[in-house]
Amino acid sequence: MKALRVVALWMALVLGVASSAMAEGFALTEWSARGLGLASGMVGRADDVSAIAYNAAGITQLPGVQVMGGMGLIAPMGTLSLDTTYGKQETTTKPAVWAMPHAYASWQLNDSLWLGLGVFSRFGLGNSYDQNWTGRYNLYSVNLQTISAVPTLAWKINDIFSVSAGLEIMNINLTTEQKFPTPLPGMAGNPAFDNDIEVQGSGWGVGGHFGLHARLNDEWSIGLAYKTQVTANVYGEAKYEGGLKRSGMKEFQDADAHGTVQLPDSLALGVAYKPLDNLSFEVGAVWTRWSTYNSLNIYMDNGSNSISHKNWSDGWNFNASVEYKPLDWWSLRAGFWYETPVINEDHSDFMVPSNGRTALTLGTGVEWNDFTIDFAYCHMWINPTSYDDTDGHGILDSGYITGGNSKNTVANIYMLSFGYKF
């Protein structure tokens, strides 16, 4: 009973914070402090309870009841350098720190079956700019937040192979804010004639998680994890402010809004090698089918629809990591990952001003009796995106932006996790 109360408390804390959980970027793989310190090298290892997020088949390595909970903080920063008819104008994103909680629990039922539950975020982005910045007709604020609950069953087939299956229940919240001009001749870009539109919506989606873990011997293990596509119908409202709303025209009045958010499936592979009891390595790759992300369209009952083409490409994440324990109670970790570009620059916008990422990670952990504490840090370099040929609404068609690019975009991630074994 004590174990169940602790598990319930972990989950309640995560769900309570999740309403404000957002992150710069789009696909998230930072699901525990140890996992972050190992650059997500937990698909082949899969040997702590956060494996529920990385490769749940690995929880068959965990005896008894185990829990983990924690928080990540993501601090992004970047600059948009735009060419305009008034000369080059540069805008830096507003300083922000986004919270990203996680919680996990596993329970060994018998020698063959384990139950698991994870609560974490698979996707998220948050960017905001000054309301009067150059690109405000595309957007000046966007927040996409997801939180997933994943109940899981893992089966240990024999001493080598384990498999898992989980149901993902995802909540999605999306808010966008942008300006649009009053169409008066010669006044393009004059903020005195700008109007505002804020669109808010939320919805639910369902998907599946499947894992395979093979512990070939004491030194080698292999993991494979597949997360299905999640499609959610999002419903909300569009709110207008400005002179066009006061004019009484139907297309500029508050209205119900709806759209479909389609998030991609992914397949992860990890190969772990443990030559010594206190030393392990892992290399891995994650393929994400971003080609299913064709558009992000919002339809409003007043007829003012927002059509945004995406047509992204499939992406790859390649990672490598090492973990060393100089003492029985102390671990040191380091990792690296590289992600290939996915954005189609013919449709680029200011919602995701990045096109591929490279990261270095460091981490440490301590064990005391049945407690574990892990901390990790990640510095991420984000590739620039060009706006020279985009058809994104409110950019080149604004009448005064002629091109440009993002630059000097980075993110720092800090994460802390606490674990307990009953």
Side-chain angles (χ1 to χ4, degrees), residues 203-224:
W204 294 87
V206 176
H209 289 200
F210 303 93
L212 169 67
H213 190 264
R215 186 172 179 177
L216 304 180
N217 50 45
D218 291 339
E219 296 181 349
W220 291 94
S221 60
I222 298 174
L224 192 66

Side-chain angles (χ1 to χ4, degrees), residues 19-91:
S19 61
S20 63
M22 306 165 189
E24 197 281 335
F26 202 166
L28 305 176
T29 58
E30 300 83 25
W31 298 321
S32 72
R34 183 176 177 228
L36 177 62
L38 294 171
S40 301
M42 284 289 293
V43 179
R45 290 184 177 96
D47 54 359
D48 72 32
V49 68
S50 70
I52 293 170
Y54 295 98
N55 178 13
I59 66 172
T60 60
Q61 303 177 88
L62 310 180
V65 175
Q66 302 194 19
V67 297
M68 177 186 290
M71 180 72 69
L73 299 176
I74 303 180
M77 183 182 348
T79 298
L80 274 297
S81 178
L82 300 179
D83 301 318
T84 76
T85 54
Y86 309 108
K88 185 176 289 294
Q89 298 187 12
E90 294 191 349
T91 300

Side-chain angles (χ1 to χ4, degrees), residues 96-112:
V97 177
W98 308 120
M100 187 171 58
H102 56 270
Y104 307 100
S106 69
W107 180 21
Q108 182 180 4
L109 300 177
N110 54 45
D111 291 340
S112 300

Side-chain angles (χ1 to χ4, degrees), residues 366-383:
V366 296
E367 300 177 27
W368 181 68
N369 293 330
D370 293 319
F371 288 94
T372 59
I373 302 175
D374 296 295
F375 174 78
Y377 166 75
C378 169
H379 184 78
M380 189 183 303
W381 294 268
I382 302 173
N383 296 345

Side-chain angles (χ1 to χ4, degrees), residues 1-21:
M1 292 300 295
K2 178 182 177 183
L4 293 178
R5 287 197 298 269
V6 173
V7 170
L9 176 61
W10 277 121
M11 300 305 170
L13 288 173
V14 171
L15 290 171
V17 176
S19 61
S20 63

Side-chain angles (χ1 to χ4, degrees), residues 184-203:
L184 296 178
M187 291 297 181
N190 189 332
F193 293 90
D194 281 351
N195 302 265
D196 265 283
I197 176 173
E198 178 186 51
V199 178
Q200 294 181 327
S202 62

